[in-house]
């Protein structure tokens, strides 16, 4: 089943709030080899002007994952997860993510394209804090391999 082109412009309900924990930030920083003190040390983060430890730039993928799960589970989407390859990822920041943030994400599919028997699905997850203020927009392109790929 090919990817449904009518997914374009579809918006999904907001995810449940995700509370960014200090230890989760530190764990993620260790996993991605982010060694800057602001990712690990509360005093260093506060000295740099932040309220708590600062998440590495790719941390929002943790929050975005819930939105992508909604997309992959969409009954009429035609996306077979066993055929998905992550094609591209980018983050557009309004401000850094810090421990203590309560983040909610809303996904909107921005395009569905066919290319060489494969489909490319680009989705934008808008991530906001508890006050509804923008924090980061995470944009992913998923490549759904066709039957011959």
């Amino acid at each position: 089943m090919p990817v449904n082109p009518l997914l374009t412009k579809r918006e999904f309900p907001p995810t449940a709030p995700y509370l960014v924990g200090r230890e989760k930030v530190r764990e993620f920083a260790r996993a991605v080899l982010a060694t800057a003190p602001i990712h690990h040390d509360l005093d260093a983060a506060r000295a740099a002007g932040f309220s708590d430890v600062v998440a590495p730039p790719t941390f929002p993928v943790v929050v975005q994952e819930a939105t992508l799960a909604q997309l992959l589970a969409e009954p009429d989407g035609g996306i077979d997860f066993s055929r998905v390859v992550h094609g591209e990822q980018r983050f557009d920041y309004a401000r850094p993510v810090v421990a203590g943030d309560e983040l909610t994400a809303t996904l909107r599919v921005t395009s569905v394209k066919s290319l060489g028997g494969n489909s490319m699905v680009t989705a934008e997850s808008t991530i906001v804090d508890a006050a509804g203020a923008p924090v980061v927009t995470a944009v992913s392109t998923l490549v759904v391999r066709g039957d011959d790929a």
Side-chain angles (χ1 to χ4, degrees), residues 79-142:
I79 300 174
D80 176 357
F81 184 66
S82 70
R83 304 189 70 76
V84 171
V85 177
H86 201 139
E88 181 182 2
Q89 181 74 51
R90 80 173 183 274
F91 302 95
D92 297 318
Y93 275 89
R95 69 163 177 84
V97 172
V98 296
D101 278 338
E102 186 174 272
L103 303 175
T104 303
T106 303
L107 181 128
R108 184 173 61 91
V109 178
T110 57
S111 73
V112 176
K113 298 176 184 174
S114 293
L115 184 63
N118 300 316
S119 295
M120 298 177 68
V121 181
T122 302
E124 184 176 279
S125 298
T126 302
I127 301 173
V128 299
D129 64 19
V135 176
V136 61
T137 300
V139 180
S140 290
T141 299
L142 305 177

